[in-house]
Amino acid sequence: MLDSANRLTIPSALMEQSNLKGEKKVYITVENGDIHFIPYSQGAEGHKVFDVRSLDAKRRITLPTSFVKVSSEWEVYLLNGEIWATRLLL
C-alpha cells in the first residue's frame, strides 16, 4: 500500500532476494497492468519506461502521479528474482 507521500515500500526480505539489492535507482515500467522495477544499472532496452526513480534508505519508491490515480492499493511481490507490484482488486 502507498503511504501518504505516494511511496511504495519493498519489504526487506524480498529486496534481499531480488535483482534490486544494492541498487539506488530503478526504471519504472508496466507489463500486463503490473509495475515492474528494473535496476538502473541493467538498462531497460525493449521496455516502455515511465520514469526513473531513486530508492531511499528504507527501500521506498515514490510512484508517478499517473500510477497513484489508478490505485493506492499496490502489493509488492518477487517473480524470478525481480520486484513487481500489482494492484489489489477489492
Side-chain angles (χ1 to χ4, degrees):
M1 183 179 303
L2 299 179
D3 65 12
S4 60
N6 296 329
R7 294 176 300 200
L8 188 65
T9 301
I10 299 172
S12 59
L14 296 183
M15 182 65 90
E16 288 298 314
Q17 299 175 48
S18 78
N19 62 346
L20 294 184
K21 185 178 178 180
E23 289 289 326
K24 301 291 184 208
K25 286 179 153 180
V26 296
Y27 291 104
I28 296 179
T29 69
V30 173
E31 288 184 38
N32 299 322
D34 286 0
I35 301 171
H36 184 196
F37 300 103
I38 300 174
Y40 187 79
S41 62
Q42 175 183 316
E45 188 174 326
H47 295 275
K48 182 177 180 181
V49 175
F50 286 89
D51 210 341
V52 175
R53 296 291 170 111
S54 295
L55 285 155
D56 69 13
K58 295 182 180 178
R59 304 168 323 281
R60 296 177 298 195
I61 300 171
T62 304
L63 293 183
T65 305
S66 58
F67 290 31
V68 175
K69 288 181 182 177
V70 170
S71 177
S72 65
E73 302 289 327
W74 293 93
E75 178 89 22
V76 176
Y77 65 96
L78 184 71
L79 177 65
N80 298 325
E82 298 180 340
I83 297 291
W84 294 73
T86 191
R87 256 183 319 174
L88 294 178
L89 303 174
L90 303 175

